[in-house]
Amino acid sequence: CLYYLSRYEEALVCFRAIRNKHASAPDAMPAAYAEIVILNKLQDIPQIKEMCDDYLKKYPDADNVEQVATLAGEVLVQSGNWEEVGKYYRSLETKFPESENLDRYIFFQGLATFQDGNFKESTPMFDKFLKKYPNSPLVENALYYVAMSNFLSNEYKKTLASCKEYISRFPDGRYVGDMRYRLA
């Protein structure tokens, strides 16, 4: 009830009491999940990561384990530890090969490689993503990172082609100004 009244701190106290004092209770797993949901609403990044890791260890067969694992990945992305992000999303791709979020797992592997400064290595990852998931909501971002990877790798002809492809597919896109700048 406290959760639905948006009294999150009080709800956290209740859920933590169930999880810590009554760990064998049938409601311990839903209480742990509710804590994660509340912490996400409160944007308590360090606590979310800790709770997600704990949840994944204690309840590896839970119905919502992929959802929790994905949230842990998003928290990891916010941390900026790109080497860990790449490893984590590779593990998600392996663990959930039939997931509807597989496009995100592959995209974030490419992003982690790009952000780590390995531009030439990130391009094939984004190319794989674009071929396999042409209708993903992350296509615009992937095209941008392909263009930037080419630019930062001093691949002149590939940069021209990838910038033009981005502009033709997303003439009003988020990165169109940057693409025009790179072309100039």
Side-chain angles (χ1 to χ4, degrees):
C1 291
L2 293 168
Y3 171 80
Y4 290 114
L5 291 171
S6 299
R7 294 170 61 183
Y8 300 129
E9 294 298 332
E10 293 149 309
L12 277 174
V13 170
C14 295
F15 291 132
R16 283 186 183 135
I18 293 170
R19 184 175 53 84
N20 292 327
K21 293 180 182 176
H22 309 287
S24 61
D27 289 335
M29 184 174 65
Y33 179 72
E35 276 187 79
I36 293 169
V37 169
I38 292 171
L39 292 169
N40 190 37
K41 283 186 178 284
L42 298 174
Q43 292 296 299
D44 187 344
I45 303 301
Q47 191 68 34
I48 294 170
K49 178 69 173 117
E50 184 180 320
M51 285 297 303
C52 286
D53 291 344
D54 188 51
Y55 187 91
L56 295 171
K57 286 176 190 168
K58 286 184 180 175
Y59 310 110
D61 298 324
D63 291 340
N64 56 1
V65 72
E66 184 181 359
Q67 184 180 7
V68 172
T70 302
L71 178 60
E74 291 172 12
V75 169
L76 197 55
V77 166
Q78 292 176 24
S79 77
N81 184 343
W82 296 110
E83 185 177 341
E84 285 300 312
V85 169
K87 287 178 188 175
Y88 189 78
Y89 277 101
R90 274 189 291 285
S91 73
L92 289 182
E93 180 184 10
T94 303
K95 188 172 183 176
F96 305 108
E98 302 299 319
S99 173
E100 63 184 38
N101 295 313
L102 205 53
D103 62 328
R104 296 183 64 75
Y105 304 158
I106 293 170
F107 173 82
F108 280 110
Q109 289 174 53
L111 179 62
T113 304
F114 176 89
Q115 294 290 0
D116 234 3
N118 301 317
F119 308 119
K120 285 189 177 191
E121 293 173 31
S122 71
T123 304
M125 295 173 152
F126 288 121
D127 287 339
K128 172 187 171 185
F129 167 84
L130 290 167
K131 286 178 186 161
K132 203 166 185 182
Y133 304 101
N135 299 319
S136 170
L138 297 168
V139 166
E140 179 181 2
N141 293 332
L143 285 172
Y144 171 75
Y145 285 112
V146 166
M148 289 306 299
S149 293
N150 290 327
F151 178 80
L152 294 169
S153 299
N154 294 318
E155 298 284 347
Y156 178 73
K157 290 182 181 181
K158 290 180 180 180
T159 299
L160 292 177
S162 55
C163 286
K164 288 177 182 177
E165 181 181 1
Y166 176 89
I167 291 171
S168 72
R169 289 186 62 188
F170 299 98
D172 296 321
R174 292 177 20 193
Y175 306 108
V176 74
D178 193 23
M179 292 296 96
R180 287 191 176 123
Y181 171 76
R182 303 295 170 185
L183 285 173

PDB file of all heavy atoms in Angstrom, residues 1-8 11 15 38 41:
ATOM      1  N   CYS A   1       0.826  -1.195   0.000  1.00  0.00           N
ATOM      2  CA  CYS A   1       0.000   0.000   0.000  1.00  0.00           C
ATOM      3  C   CYS A   1       0.869   1.256   0.000  1.00  0.00           C
ATOM      4  O   CYS A   1       0.559   2.226  -0.679  1.00  0.00           O
ATOM      5  CB  CYS A   1      -0.923   0.002   1.200  1.00  0.00           C
ATOM      6  SG  CYS A   1      -2.213  -1.253   1.105  1.00  0.00           S
ATOM      7  N   LEU A   2       1.939   1.208   0.776  1.00  0.00           N
ATOM      8  CA  LEU A   2       2.818   2.381   0.841  1.00  0.00           C
ATOM      9  C   LEU A   2       3.436   2.688  -0.517  1.00  0.00           C
ATOM     10  O   LEU A   2       3.590   3.850  -0.887  1.00  0.00           O
ATOM     11  CB  LEU A   2       3.904   2.172   1.895  1.00  0.00           C
ATOM     12  CG  LEU A   2       3.417   2.117   3.342  1.00  0.00           C
ATOM     13  CD1 LEU A   2       4.521   1.621   4.256  1.00  0.00           C
ATOM     14  CD2 LEU A   2       2.900   3.470   3.785  1.00  0.00           C
ATOM     15  N   TYR A   3       3.773   1.655  -1.262  1.00  0.00           N
ATOM     16  CA  TYR A   3       4.336   1.858  -2.589  1.00  0.00           C
ATOM     17  C   TYR A   3       3.340   2.602  -3.481  1.00  0.00           C
ATOM     18  O   TYR A   3       3.690   3.567  -4.150  1.00  0.00           O
ATOM     19  CB  TYR A   3       4.721   0.516  -3.214  1.00  0.00           C
ATOM     20  CG  TYR A   3       5.112   0.639  -4.664  1.00  0.00           C
ATOM     21  CD1 TYR A   3       6.374   1.074  -5.013  1.00  0.00           C
ATOM     22  CD2 TYR A   3       4.205   0.340  -5.678  1.00  0.00           C
ATOM     23  CE1 TYR A   3       6.739   1.205  -6.343  1.00  0.00           C
ATOM     24  CE2 TYR A   3       4.561   0.466  -7.006  1.00  0.00           C
ATOM     25  CZ  TYR A   3       5.830   0.898  -7.338  1.00  0.00           C
ATOM     26  OH  TYR A   3       6.182   1.038  -8.661  1.00  0.00           O
ATOM     27  N   TYR A   4       2.099   2.146  -3.492  1.00  0.00           N
ATOM     28  CA  TYR A   4       1.087   2.767  -4.348  1.00  0.00           C
ATOM     29  C   TYR A   4       0.694   4.162  -3.882  1.00  0.00           C
ATOM     30  O   TYR A   4       0.129   4.937  -4.656  1.00  0.00           O
ATOM     31  CB  TYR A   4      -0.139   1.858  -4.466  1.00  0.00           C
ATOM     32  CG  TYR A   4       0.164   0.632  -5.285  1.00  0.00           C
ATOM     33  CD1 TYR A   4       0.166  -0.630  -4.711  1.00  0.00           C
ATOM     34  CD2 TYR A   4       0.491   0.740  -6.632  1.00  0.00           C
ATOM     35  CE1 TYR A   4       0.474  -1.750  -5.455  1.00  0.00           C
ATOM     36  CE2 TYR A   4       0.795  -0.379  -7.379  1.00  0.00           C
ATOM     37  CZ  TYR A   4       0.785  -1.620  -6.800  1.00  0.00           C
ATOM     38  OH  TYR A   4       1.098  -2.727  -7.549  1.00  0.00           O
ATOM     39  N   LEU A   5       1.005   4.494  -2.654  1.00  0.00           N
ATOM     40  CA  LEU A   5       0.782   5.854  -2.152  1.00  0.00           C
ATOM     41  C   LEU A   5       2.007   6.741  -2.396  1.00  0.00           C
ATOM     42  O   LEU A   5       2.045   7.876  -1.934  1.00  0.00           O
ATOM     43  CB  LEU A   5       0.460   5.822  -0.655  1.00  0.00           C
ATOM     44  CG  LEU A   5      -0.881   5.202  -0.283  1.00  0.00           C
ATOM     45  CD1 LEU A   5      -0.972   5.021   1.226  1.00  0.00           C
ATOM     46  CD2 LEU A   5      -2.024   6.063  -0.796  1.00  0.00           C
ATOM     47  N   SER A   6       2.997   6.192  -3.097  1.00  0.00           N
ATOM     48  CA  SER A   6       4.255   6.888  -3.399  1.00  0.00           C
ATOM     49  C   SER A   6       5.028   7.250  -2.142  1.00  0.00           C
ATOM     50  O   SER A   6       5.774   8.221  -2.111  1.00  0.00           O
ATOM     51  CB  SER A   6       4.011   8.134  -4.258  1.00  0.00           C
ATOM     52  OG  SER A   6       3.429   7.782  -5.479  1.00  0.00           O
ATOM     53  N   ARG A   7       4.868   6.467  -1.115  1.00  0.00           N
ATOM     54  CA  ARG A   7       5.627   6.645   0.129  1.00  0.00           C
ATOM     55  C   ARG A   7       6.766   5.620   0.093  1.00  0.00           C
ATOM     56  O   ARG A   7       6.770   4.631   0.819  1.00  0.00           O
ATOM     57  CB  ARG A   7       4.706   6.477   1.324  1.00  0.00           C
ATOM     58  CG  ARG A   7       3.652   7.595   1.380  1.00  0.00           C
ATOM     59  CD  ARG A   7       2.567   7.360   2.376  1.00  0.00           C
ATOM     60  NE  ARG A   7       3.092   7.256   3.745  1.00  0.00           N
ATOM     61  CZ  ARG A   7       2.319   6.996   4.790  1.00  0.00           C
ATOM     62  NH1 ARG A   7       1.002   6.831   4.631  1.00  0.00           N
ATOM     63  NH2 ARG A   7       2.841   6.904   5.994  1.00  0.00           N
ATOM     64  N   TYR A   8       7.714   5.896  -0.783  1.00  0.00           N
ATOM     65  CA  TYR A   8       8.739   4.927  -1.137  1.00  0.00           C
ATOM     66  C   TYR A   8       9.681   4.579   0.015  1.00  0.00           C
ATOM     67  O   TYR A   8      10.044   3.413   0.177  1.00  0.00           O
ATOM     68  CB  TYR A   8       9.534   5.413  -2.347  1.00  0.00           C
ATOM     69  CG  TYR A   8       8.671   5.612  -3.575  1.00  0.00           C
ATOM     70  CD1 TYR A   8       8.714   6.790  -4.295  1.00  0.00           C
ATOM     71  CD2 TYR A   8       7.793   4.616  -3.992  1.00  0.00           C
ATOM     72  CE1 TYR A   8       7.914   6.972  -5.411  1.00  0.00           C
ATOM     73  CE2 TYR A   8       6.996   4.784  -5.106  1.00  0.00           C
ATOM     74  CZ  TYR A   8       7.063   5.962  -5.813  1.00  0.00           C
ATOM     75  OH  TYR A   8       6.274   6.143  -6.912  1.00  0.00           O
ATOM     76  N   ALA A  11       7.918   2.239   2.266  1.00  0.00           N
ATOM     77  CA  ALA A  11       7.754   0.942   1.599  1.00  0.00           C
ATOM     78  C   ALA A  11       9.074   0.175   1.600  1.00  0.00           C
ATOM     79  O   ALA A  11       9.088  -1.044   1.824  1.00  0.00           O
ATOM     80  CB  ALA A  11       7.259   1.152   0.174  1.00  0.00           C
ATOM     81  N   PHE A  15       9.735  -3.662   2.872  1.00  0.00           N
ATOM     82  CA  PHE A  15      10.281  -4.700   1.996  1.00  0.00           C
ATOM     83  C   PHE A  15      11.619  -5.220   2.520  1.00  0.00           C
ATOM     84  O   PHE A  15      11.892  -6.420   2.459  1.00  0.00           O
ATOM     85  CB  PHE A  15      10.425  -4.190   0.566  1.00  0.00           C
ATOM     86  CG  PHE A  15       9.107  -3.945  -0.124  1.00  0.00           C
ATOM     87  CD1 PHE A  15       8.869  -2.761  -0.801  1.00  0.00           C
ATOM     88  CD2 PHE A  15       8.106  -4.900  -0.094  1.00  0.00           C
ATOM     89  CE1 PHE A  15       7.661  -2.543  -1.437  1.00  0.00           C
ATOM     90  CE2 PHE A  15       6.890  -4.696  -0.730  1.00  0.00           C
ATOM     91  CZ  PHE A  15       6.672  -3.505  -1.399  1.00  0.00           C
ATOM     92  N   ILE A  38      11.643   0.259  -6.494  1.00  0.00           N
ATOM     93  CA  ILE A  38      11.615   1.530  -5.768  1.00  0.00           C
ATOM     94  C   ILE A  38      12.949   2.263  -5.896  1.00  0.00           C
ATOM     95  O   ILE A  38      12.982   3.478  -6.147  1.00  0.00           O
ATOM     96  CB  ILE A  38      11.248   1.320  -4.283  1.00  0.00           C
ATOM     97  CG1 ILE A  38       9.796   0.862  -4.171  1.00  0.00           C
ATOM     98  CG2 ILE A  38      11.458   2.601  -3.477  1.00  0.00           C
ATOM     99  CD1 ILE A  38       9.396   0.414  -2.775  1.00  0.00           C
ATOM    100  N   LYS A  41      13.101   3.946  -9.139  1.00  0.00           N
ATOM    101  CA  LYS A  41      12.310   5.183  -9.146  1.00  0.00           C
ATOM    102  C   LYS A  41      13.056   6.316  -8.443  1.00  0.00           C
ATOM    103  O   LYS A  41      12.987   7.459  -8.855  1.00  0.00           O
ATOM    104  CB  LYS A  41      10.962   4.971  -8.475  1.00  0.00           C
ATOM    105  CG  LYS A  41       9.949   4.250  -9.314  1.00  0.00           C
ATOM    106  CD  LYS A  41       8.614   4.236  -8.597  1.00  0.00           C
ATOM    107  CE  LYS A  41       7.576   3.553  -9.432  1.00  0.00           C
ATOM    108  NZ  LYS A  41       7.075   4.359 -10.526  1.00  0.00           N
TER     109      LYS A  41
END
